[in-house]
Amino acid sequence: MNERETGEQAFTPALGRAEFTRIYDFAIRLLTREQVWRSALLKQVSPRNDETILDVGCGTGTFAIMLKQKAPKAQIVGLDPDPEVLALAGRKAESKGIDVKWRQGFARDTARTPAAYDKAVSSLMFHQMPMAEKRVGLEAMFNALRPGGELHIADYAHQPDRNMRRLFRWTVQRIDGVEDTQPNADGALEEMLAELAGEKVMPVRVVRTLTGAISLFRLTRPL
C-alpha cells in the first residue's frame, strides 16, 4: 500500500499511488464496468430532492455529481481525505454547473455529525482501509444517519469464486496491496455490516468485473 498523509493521518490514494490520480476516472471506467454498478447504485440510493446525502470517499466526485443530477434540490456532501481528488471533483462539478459541498476528511470524521444525513454512501473505498479504520468508518457513517436513514456501500467484498479472486489478486491487490484488501475478499465487509444490522447481510447485487466482483449493500438505521 502506498500512503499519503494529511496532517498526522495516512490514506491510500486513488489507484494506490498519488501519481495515478489523474488517470483514475479512465481506469475505473475501463476496468470495472463502471456504468453498470454506478447506475445500479444510483437506483438503489434513489436520491430525493428533500434529502441530505453524504458521499464518503467521494474521490473525483463522479457519484456525488450523479446524485445531484438525479435530485437537483438535494443537498449532496462529498467527503474525502485527499485534497488533490477534491480539487478534481470541484472542477468537474463546476464544469457541469453542479453545486456539491466538498469537504476534506476521513470516514471516521462523520462521527462528528450524528444523525445528520438521510443517506450515506461509499463506493470503492473500504477495501483500501486498514481493518480498524473499516470498522470505525462504517460505524461512524451508520451513526451519522437519521433514524430510518440508509447506508449504501458499493465495494469489493467477498469474492464469490476462483476466477473473481484471481482477477482481484492480479489487479486490485497489486495496486492497493494485500494487507488491507484481503479481509474484504474474505468477507470482512459482510461481517461488519451484519454487526451493524444485527442480522446477516447479503449484497443487493454483485457485479462481476475485470478487477473482481463489486458488491452493493444497503442497511437501514432503525427508527
Side-chain angles (χ1 to χ4, degrees):
M1 179 179 66
N2 296 275
E3 295 184 336
R4 292 181 62 188
E5 292 190 355
T6 297
E8 298 180 353
Q9 299 185 69
F11 62 91
T12 301
L15 291 184
R17 295 178 182 273
E19 58 267 31
F20 293 162
T21 296
R22 59 187 176 84
I23 65 168
Y24 177 80
D25 286 350
F26 173 75
I28 295 300
R29 185 165 58 250
L30 178 67
L31 298 173
T32 72
R33 300 179 67 199
E34 180 185 31
Q35 184 61 37
V36 174
W37 68 262
R38 283 206 195 274
S39 295
L41 182 61
L42 183 64
K43 183 177 180 180
Q44 179 179 299
V45 175
S46 188
R48 300 196 307 266
N49 282 321
D50 60 346
E51 292 179 327
T52 300
I53 303 174
L54 176 67
D55 184 1
V56 178
C58 64
T60 61
T62 299
F63 194 68
I65 291 170
M66 290 174 67
L67 289 168
K68 188 68 173 181
Q69 289 173 323
K70 186 69 173 179
K73 294 183 180 179
Q75 181 174 331
I76 309 298
V77 179
L79 180 74
D80 200 282
D82 189 341
E84 184 175 350
V85 297
L86 286 177
L88 288 172
R91 291 195 293 270
K92 188 189 296 185
E94 185 177 1
S95 71
K96 296 177 182 294
I98 290 173
D99 180 24
V100 174
K101 298 182 184 300
W102 307 108
R103 296 178 182 171
Q104 187 175 355
F106 293 81
R108 67 162 72 170
D109 295 329
T110 58
R112 301 172 184 170
T113 53
Y117 299 96
D118 298 291
K119 293 169 182 171
V121 61
S122 177
S123 52
L124 303 191
M125 178 190 73
F126 278 100
H127 73 279
Q128 296 182 318
M129 298 167 65
M131 272 298 295
E133 289 297 315
K134 295 182 204 287
R135 189 178 303 278
V136 169
L138 283 170
E139 290 178 353
M141 288 178 66
F142 196 66
N143 290 331
L145 295 170
R146 298 183 177 116
E150 297 175 357
L151 174 65
H152 297 268
I153 305 291
D155 216 321
Y156 298 101
H158 173 68
Q159 295 301 295
D161 56 48
R162 182 179 299 178
N163 187 45
M164 288 296 100
R165 288 193 293 272
R166 183 184 298 116
L167 289 171
F168 183 73
R169 183 168 62 249
W170 288 350
T171 56
V172 175
Q173 292 192 312
R174 284 191 176 184
I175 293 170
D176 293 329
V178 174
E179 183 178 359
D180 296 337
T181 60
Q182 190 61 44
N184 279 55
D186 292 338
L189 185 57
E190 288 90 336
E191 293 174 4
M192 289 183 286
L193 290 172
E195 291 175 7
L196 291 175
E199 60 184 7
K200 186 175 182 179
V201 172
M202 298 294 292
V204 175
R205 181 170 179 180
V206 177
V207 178
R208 299 168 69 89
T209 83
L210 293 175
T211 57
I214 296 174
S215 297
L216 277 61
F217 299 93
R218 177 177 57 224
L219 269 66
T220 300
R221 186 173 184 183
L223 295 171

